[in-house]
Amino acid sequence: MTLTLKEKITRVRTALEADPMGFIAGEIRAPALEAPRVIGPPWSSFGNFLAETNGGRFGSIDVWSLEEFRDKQYQSVNFSGGQERWLVIGQLLYEPLVMENGTDHLFLFQGDREKLGLDFGKFDEFFIEAVFGPRYAKIVPNGEKDEWWDILKFAGLR
């Protein structure tokens, strides 16, 4: 995990705690320090993320915790390449957010599970730019009107 991503997580965590209504915008969970050991390669970016924040709710984006992610993998059976190729790490507006084996890229599968989903780029870049940055409003419909967008402003990240 990059230092930039760690810093953004810290800033948003502080903003959520300072805002009495922060719990409406999102939730950054306590670290799952054992996550990198449990998840490991080729999904180490996800394991490292969980070691910093054990999943959470980031506006319209949910990331599964160490305890949840195994139960969510049934979805990847229907994706081209199946569970050998994909790890479901969360959801964006109830559509699966998945990580591709060997590329560290995140994809959003919408509707047709046979077609390759929307490529969001590398794991850390997606979280830096979209989850904890200004690209959030571009990937979430009406994202500029939700509470997470306000928290990002309060944290100075947009």
Side-chain angles (χ1 to χ4, degrees):
M1 172 179 292
T2 66
L3 182 58
T4 301
L5 181 52
K6 283 185 178 191
E7 289 171 352
K8 285 189 171 214
I9 290 169
T10 300
R11 288 173 70 175
V12 172
R13 182 178 271 134
T14 301
L16 286 170
E17 291 170 359
D19 186 334
M21 299 302 284
F23 68 93
I24 293 173
E27 173 191 21
I28 297 180
R29 298 182 186 133
L33 300 177
E34 71 281 6
R37 179 186 54 76
V38 172
I39 295 176
W43 319 109
S44 56
S45 292
F46 180 54
N48 293 335
F49 182 80
L50 296 183
E52 193 67 29
T53 173
N54 190 17
R57 188 173 40 83
F58 314 101
S60 296
I61 301 168
D62 298 308
V63 176
W64 309 136
S65 68
L66 183 61
E67 298 77 21
E68 295 170 313
F69 90 95
R70 283 189 182 99
D71 293 336
K72 305 295 185 178
Q73 299 314 305
Y74 67 90
Q75 300 173 67
S76 62
V77 171
N78 297 321
F79 303 150
S80 177
Q83 293 181 335
E84 297 295 318
R85 183 176 180 191
W86 303 106
L87 181 73
V88 181
I89 68 150
Q91 63 185 11
L92 190 156
L93 293 172
Y94 305 106
E95 296 288 352
L97 183 60
V98 300
M99 188 173 179
E100 185 178 31
N101 186 344
T103 68
D104 205 36
H105 275 239
L106 293 178
F107 290 82
L108 181 69
F109 279 87
Q110 298 171 299
D112 187 353
R113 305 296 194 237
E114 292 298 315
K115 294 182 181 176
L116 190 60
L118 177 63
D119 185 350
F120 282 144
K122 295 217 177 252
F123 189 97
D124 280 12
E125 292 169 11
F126 171 74
F127 279 88
I128 289 168
E129 297 168 9
V131 178
F132 299 109
R135 202 168 122 214
Y136 178 83
K138 293 179 180 169
I139 64 166
V140 173
N142 297 313
E144 70 281 345
K145 295 179 182 175
D146 76 20
E147 291 85 358
W148 187 253
W149 189 242
D150 294 339
I151 286 292
L152 292 176
K153 182 177 182 180
F154 184 65
L157 297 176
R158 63 168 184 94

